[in-house]
Amino acid sequence: EILTVYPFPSHIKLERKLRSMNSWVNIDMDEMRQALRNIIGNGIEVMPDGGTLTVATSTTADNMVKIEISDTGPGMPQEVAEKIFTPFFTTKARGTGLGLAVVKKVVDRHKGRVDVESEPGKGAKFIICIPVYKA
């Protein structure tokens, strides 16, 4: 749903790798939308001259639904990646440092996990895993 309504700029190519799954998650839709918007928005922001944003879904061996959002932006060094989920940490001139802190809080509240993989010059990949709902 988010990918159909998000205003992607024309210089950003959206690649979807959405796997059809029969897994359900118990989430607050508004909170999760906000978390995903924050990651997507950051990805777009780091690619002002164009690039590709890829969104992929799958399930994990430990019974989680996985959402991966990756960009072809500049990436970040390990020392920055280690701090990006900390409230008020930002590398942006006009950033508040709350966007990714909100992502972490939302994912934690859903008993999930969020990680980032990045290297300078190789983009970034954010990985959100949420437990499969057991009725």
Side-chain angles (χ1 to χ4, degrees), residues 71-132:
D71 64 63
T72 57
M76 64 188 104
Q78 184 64 32
E79 59 271 11
V80 171
E82 290 171 359
K83 298 176 188 171
I84 59 171
F85 297 110
T86 305
F88 306 110
F89 176 81
T90 184
T91 59
K92 301 176 188 175
R94 295 176 185 238
T96 62
L98 292 175
L100 292 175
V102 166
V103 170
K104 174 121 175 69
K105 186 171 185 173
V106 167
V107 172
D108 286 350
R109 195 172 14 248
H110 288 87
K111 296 179 178 39
R113 62 183 184 262
V114 59
D115 296 299
V116 63
E117 297 173 359
S118 185
E119 286 181 49
K122 295 188 177 182
K125 179 193 293 185
F126 288 83
I127 303 153
I128 295 175
C129 293
I130 302 292
V132 169

